[in-house]
Amino acid sequence: MLLYVVMLLAAADAAIFTYSAGEGGHWGWAIPAALGAAIVASLPLSWWVKKRIEAIFNRVQEMLLRDQQTMQRKVAALQNKGVGGQKVVSQLEKEQETSVRAALVPLEELKPYQWLNPLVKKQADMLKGQLLFQIKDYDAARPCLENAMVLDPSIACMQMILHWKKDPEETKELDKMFNKGVGRFKYDKGTLIYALYSWILVKQNRLNEAVSVLAEGKTKTEDPVIAQNWDHLANNRLKRLSFAGLGERWYALGLETPQPVRQQQQAPFGGRVSRRGFR
């Protein structure tokens, strides 16, 4: 808002000065002068704001990246030792939550800049909402993501999940969200949305509709995971429904947990032993 005030004052001053300077006044010169003054006055302030906002976002990203690398090293060490189990998974999830909540703190420093640039709040809320969603704090994530800019399919999916978790039996608004999502992200970009919506439909026991959605999805996206799950549902193999084949973008929605994979380790005397680790 302050940015607009500065531009308005500069434009007004330039217009008045230009109009008064000419004999009898002439708005034909005053208007271009006002526009030019507004642009010139906004440039230094815009640059100053942009640099400070970027510095805060970069600091958050660096914190998350550093903690992610630490977590990856810890997981690799556990894999090498053959350590696993739900207790370790819970510990890693707790450490991830601690990391995310620490990264949320610098985002509070963006509040003073919201008066300078109205888009700052939307950008901060979107990142905050994604991070809170990641640690499954859905109640806190909801107000941040409900009106977020939907720049990629994952945001659309998060909004659908938050709506579904708030009211698991609601159908009308969820249908609208799905149609809007696949209308915006066409062809293979809509793969995640088709997968999610069909998964929710199964949870709502709307199996025929889930089959129809996957039938449309396999035609529109030509994704083998969508086609495979359509085949499972169409042939009443409900227990085999899984979108794990979509990888991290599916797991990031928090609906399925990666299965542990076997790690092979060299045993004494040239033999091999099989151990379980994390995916």
Side-chain angles (χ1 to χ4, degrees):
M1 294 298 293
L2 181 58
L3 180 61
Y4 298 141
V5 172
V6 171
M7 293 174 66
L8 181 61
L9 291 175
D13 287 344
I16 293 171
F17 176 80
T18 305
Y19 181 81
S20 302
E23 188 174 332
H26 200 299
W27 284 112
W29 290 106
I31 293 174
L35 293 175
I39 294 172
V40 171
S42 68
L43 289 177
L45 184 57
S46 297
W47 181 85
W48 181 81
V49 171
K50 180 183 177 183
K51 288 298 180 184
R52 277 150 182 77
I53 292 172
E54 286 180 347
I56 294 171
F57 278 119
N58 287 339
R59 179 148 47 99
V60 172
Q61 296 293 345
E62 288 170 3
M63 291 174 65
L64 293 170
L65 180 60
R66 182 183 65 243
D67 291 342
Q68 183 183 32
Q69 291 172 340
T70 300
M71 191 82 67
Q72 289 173 343
R73 288 194 293 269
K74 183 172 291 189
V75 170
L78 291 171
Q79 286 180 335
N80 291 334
K81 293 179 180 179
V83 179
Q86 186 57 43
K87 184 176 180 180
V88 175
V89 172
S90 298
Q91 179 61 33
L92 292 173
E93 289 177 347
K94 187 179 295 185
E95 291 182 15
Q96 182 187 34
E97 180 176 354
T98 301
S99 168
V100 166
R101 294 202 182 278
L104 291 174
V105 174
L107 290 178
E108 295 301 310
E109 299 175 22
L110 291 168
K111 286 184 177 180
Y113 301 105
Q114 294 174 12
W115 297 98
L116 302 174
N117 188 336
L119 289 178
V120 172
K121 186 178 188 307
K122 281 190 170 293
Q123 293 173 330
D125 281 351
M126 185 165 65
L127 178 56
K128 184 178 179 181
Q130 288 176 288
L131 293 175
L132 289 168
F133 187 97
Q134 185 179 346
I135 59 174
K136 300 183 179 181
D137 189 348
Y138 299 122
D139 289 337
R142 187 172 289 109
C144 297
L145 290 177
E146 277 182 341
N147 298 312
M149 296 179 290
V150 184
L151 303 178
D152 60 73
S154 65
I155 300 295
C157 287
M158 288 180 186
Q159 290 176 335
M160 290 174 66
I161 291 172
L162 291 173
H163 181 80
W164 170 66
K165 285 185 174 293
K166 186 177 181 179
D167 188 356
E169 302 304 320
E170 198 282 330
T171 60
K172 188 175 180 180
E173 185 61 30
L174 194 63
D175 294 346
K176 289 181 180 178
M177 296 174 76
F178 163 72
N179 289 323
K180 185 177 180 179
V182 294
R184 176 176 295 176
F185 301 103
K186 299 181 183 298
Y187 308 111
D188 61 322
K189 291 182 180 179
T191 299
L192 195 63
I193 300 176
Y194 279 107
L196 170 64
Y197 189 53
S198 63
W199 191 92
I200 292 176
L201 289 173
V202 170
K203 293 297 180 181
Q204 293 179 329
N205 201 33
R206 299 162 64 189
L207 301 183
N208 290 335
E209 292 173 73
V211 173
S212 297
V213 166
L214 288 176
E216 178 185 321
K218 72 186 182 73
T219 301
K220 294 288 182 65
T221 69
E222 298 184 355
D223 188 282
V225 177
I226 297 292
Q228 182 184 56
N229 281 284
W230 169 82
D231 185 63
H232 289 329
L233 282 189
N235 290 283
N236 203 29
R237 297 192 294 267
L238 187 60
K239 291 183 178 180
R240 299 184 66 177
L241 182 76
S242 172
F243 293 98
L246 296 179
E248 289 303 318
R249 54 182 176 154
W250 174 254
Y251 290 131
L253 299 180
L255 301 176
E256 286 188 65
T257 304
Q259 295 297 315
V261 295
R262 289 188 176 277
Q263 301 291 326
Q264 295 293 332
Q265 181 173 329
Q266 188 69 34
F269 309 110
R272 300 189 70 83
V273 295
S274 176
R275 295 186 173 184
R276 284 194 173 273
F278 303 98
R279 192 168 185 173

